[in-house]
Amino acid sequence: MSDDILSAAFSVPKGGIAKTTSAGHMAVSGLHDHNLNTILIDLAGTQNALATQFGLKDEVADPDIPISIVFSDKWDSLRDNADEVVDRMVYETAEGVDLIPADDSLSAEDNDLVNVPLEDRYDRLASFIDVEITPRYDLVLFDLPGKGTISRLAASTPRKT
């Protein structure tokens, strides 16, 4: 791993066209075909389709630390005061890629982000990726909702490649 990370976001405004399935297959390929330590981040909301795809739906039903907290004002305090925060967010799949699952609070955070200045929206996700994900992984893939603030945010977050 290096100070750089490869990333891609899967987003299409229409559902049911294999966006999530494609993200999952790309993650497994990144690991097995290209030897990239890979993590999937599911921002697509309450469906938690990636967890279902990887057979983890029941296991991730009540995450210890949900991904939605990264978008809230509570993130800095939690990160600074809790042990192994990112490890508590990540679930290992049987295929070897890691997953940070979606959670029910993502919809509320999507609505809350409307009141956050545009620059700060990008900074929250970019900071999480730079500080917490980049030192651990070579490739991060985002499964995004078809519409909404979080979708535009993740798809537009500048990344080093």
Side-chain angles (χ1 to χ4, degrees), residues 2 4-5 11 20 30 39 45 49 53 73 80 86 96 102 105 108 112 121-122 124 126 128 131 134 145 156:
S2 70
D4 293 339
I5 191 167
S11 178
T20 297
I39 187 164
Q53 180 175 334
D73 293 333
D80 294 342
V86 174
S105 296
D112 291 344
R121 295 180 202 175
Y122 297 108
R124 289 181 185 186
F128 175 72
V131 173
T134 299
S156 302

Side-chain angles (χ1 to χ4, degrees), residues 35-95:
N35 201 32
L36 298 171
N37 192 14
T38 303
I39 187 164
L40 283 156
I41 300 179
D42 191 346
L43 298 174
T46 59
Q47 292 176 328
N48 230 331
L50 279 171
T52 301
Q53 180 175 334
F54 285 100
L56 298 172
K57 185 175 183 177
D58 292 337
E59 187 177 339
V60 306
D62 187 22
D64 183 27
I65 299 178
I67 186 63
S68 59
I69 197 143
V70 169
F71 297 99
S72 79
D73 293 333
K74 299 174 187 173
W75 172 247
D76 289 334
S77 177
L78 179 66
R79 183 192 63 225
D80 294 342
N81 295 302
D83 293 329
E84 302 173 353
V85 175
V86 174
D87 291 339
R88 293 163 57 188
M89 297 172 81
V90 173
Y91 294 80
E92 186 175 332
T93 69
E95 289 80 359

